[in-house]
Amino acid sequence: MKTLLTGGAGYIGSHTAVAMLNAGHEVAVVDNYANSSAEAIARVEKITGKKVALYEADVADKERMMEILKAEMPDCIIHFAGLKAVGESVAKPVEYYRNNIDTTLTLLECMRELGLTSIVFSSSATVYGEDNVPPFTEDAPKGMCTNPYGWTKWMQEQMLTDAAKASAKGDDWKTPLSVVLLRYFNPVGAHESGLMGEDPQGIPNNLMPYISQVAVGRRDHLTVFGDDYDTPDGTCRRDYIHVMDLAEGHVKAAEYVIEKRKEAEARGEAAGGTEVFNLGTGSPYSVLEMVEAFGRACGHAVAYEIGARRAGDVQDSWADASKARAVLGWEASRGIDEICRDAWNWQSNNPQGYNK
């Protein structure tokens, strides 16, 4: 199977590239390096011993994407490209709506014109909002998002679903579109080699890279946003999933969507449609529990102070991932200690990240 990963040089995309190559699939990557590095793909090639076709481009640039897709004609596209920080989206909503919506619209236009049939979308548990009670199932109500980032994911899911429905009727589509929406929870950790990990540009917006940078001495302390939530220690709880577990979930999803199309075509039936899967562990940890676990991994306490709540945060979020287990044959296998061990291995061996 030939796959094209938009945003494939980013944190989740690059780890997925490793998992795809290790599973025997071909990989091409498109990235504009807005929050990533070409060095990540060099590390992918070093780890796997295999080549990646790498293109520098903005996925919202239709002319360039048509050139790339015509050259590659992938069996499946895995769409990661997009801005992804909850807190930043509250401060910069226009940038988030423009970037995230435009990339997906452009990609759908290209797929329609070229007759490309299969896409796996990098969605998020933020689409569930704060009114649902965890663990969240795939049929939980959506559209109660607490931040612009979540709303962009909700909108992109709707765009992809509507496109799949229209394609089944033949409206301007050469063939029905198959869509898999992967709603994942909180990706953390790094590749066990220590060669790859999360390397945000500027001040980290997510918990784990911030803890890592404090532990390695790049920052003085972590600010914990609120300790007055209705949880055992007063801090928010999340479903932290190891990035390699998440990457392997993308492999399973891409293989599933291609195999399902082949089976439908063999039966003489129309392929296509949309399916949704949660990717998480089902076991939540609080912010302070993660800080303590990281301290165990690095061998010293991680300095932190309590600050005010952050706009856009929800108190509790964790997954019911039983559907992914039953249908995809996927289940997270790495726990909090492996997450922190691998994150520290990456950060301690690359204290300034890639290319620094």
Side-chain angles (χ1 to χ4, degrees):
M1 176 174 59
K2 178 181 282 190
T3 58
L4 183 137
L5 280 54
T6 71
Y11 173 47
I12 301 169
S14 60
H15 286 78
T16 299
V18 169
M20 293 295 301
L21 290 166
N22 284 342
H25 304 300
E26 294 181 59
V27 172
V29 165
V30 179
D31 207 296
N32 65 357
Y33 309 129
N35 191 30
S36 59
S37 170
E39 176 61 22
I41 301 304
R43 305 280 181 98
V44 169
E45 294 178 334
K46 183 175 182 178
I47 289 168
T48 64
K50 299 178 181 179
K51 294 294 292 182
V52 173
L54 180 59
Y55 300 90
E56 182 175 358
D58 187 335
V59 179
D61 182 342
K62 184 176 179 181
E63 182 177 357
R64 182 71 175 124
M65 285 305 298
M66 286 291 287
E67 293 174 357
I68 294 167
L69 289 168
K70 284 179 181 178
E72 294 294 332
M73 292 301 288
D75 299 302
C76 184
I77 294 171
I78 305 181
H79 182 29
F80 296 104
L83 301 175
K84 64 174 187 174
V86 168
E88 184 180 64
S89 77
V90 176
K92 298 181 177 181
V94 174
E95 288 83 349
Y96 270 69
Y97 286 115
R98 170 64 73 187
N99 182 85
N100 293 4
I101 301 302
D102 279 3
T103 55
T104 301
L105 285 173
T106 299
L107 197 55
L108 281 170
E109 289 176 348
C110 292
M111 293 181 72
R112 181 177 59 187
E113 292 176 29
L114 295 174
L116 298 173
T117 61
S118 302
I119 182 168
V120 174
F121 176 57
S122 168
S123 192
S124 167
T126 55
V127 301
Y128 293 122
E130 63 180 349
D131 292 337
N132 292 304
V133 177
F136 302 148
T137 60
E138 288 84 354
D139 58 0
K142 299 194 310 173
M144 298 170 286
C145 308
T146 60
N147 54 77
Y149 166 73
W151 280 114
T152 67
K153 291 296 186 182
W154 182 88
M155 292 173 186
Q156 289 172 95
E157 282 197 6
Q158 194 63 48
M159 289 155 48
L160 289 159
T161 300
D162 289 343
K165 288 179 180 177
S167 72
K169 300 175 183 177
D171 296 350
D172 298 326
W173 290 80
K174 298 177 182 179
T175 185
L177 181 66
S178 293
V179 175
V180 173
L181 307 175
L182 295 181
R183 293 176 187 156
Y184 39 83
F185 285 66
N186 290 71
V188 287
H191 191 268
E192 63 182 7
S193 66
L195 292 172
M196 293 173 55
E198 190 167 10
D199 182 30
Q201 297 181 12
I203 299 173
N205 287 291
N206 297 323
L207 177 65
M208 184 60 80
Y210 212 114
I211 292 175
S212 300
Q213 291 186 13
V214 172
V216 83
R218 284 177 61 180
R219 302 192 184 277
D220 291 335
H221 68 277
L222 167 75
T223 298
V224 176
F225 296 112
D227 66 347
D228 57 348
Y229 290 94
D230 186 18
T231 63
D233 63 18
T235 63
C236 293
R237 293 182 292 185
R238 296 289 182 269
D239 189 337
Y240 295 100
I241 178 173
H242 195 293
V243 67
M244 287 307 301
D245 278 330
L246 191 64
E248 290 159 7
H250 286 78
V251 176
K252 292 289 190 180
E255 292 174 342
Y256 169 76
V257 74
I258 295 300
E259 187 60 31
K260 188 178 178 184
R261 289 190 69 88
K262 289 180 179 178
E263 291 174 354
E265 290 165 0
R267 294 191 301 267
E269 299 174 358
T274 301
E275 290 204 56
V276 184
F277 298 96
N278 286 335
L279 296 184
T281 69
S283 298
Y285 291 95
S286 73
V287 173
L288 290 183
E289 285 176 319
M290 290 300 291
V291 171
E292 292 168 3
F294 202 92
R296 293 194 300 271
C298 70
H300 60 82
V302 177
Y304 70 89
E305 64 179 29
I306 303 298
R309 292 189 182 191
R310 181 174 60 179
D313 280 343
V314 298
Q315 174 177 291
D316 288 318
S317 175
W318 63 88
D320 178 338
S322 57
K323 182 182 177 183
R325 181 170 60 251
V327 178
L328 301 180
W330 172 90
E331 188 172 14
S333 62
R334 300 163 178 90
I336 187 172
D337 291 330
E338 290 162 295
I339 285 169
C340 293
R341 177 201 67 196
D342 293 342
W344 176 240
N345 189 30
W346 151 254
Q347 192 70 77
S348 59
N349 282 291
N350 304 268
Q352 299 300 317
Y354 297 122
N355 291 332
K356 297 171 186 174

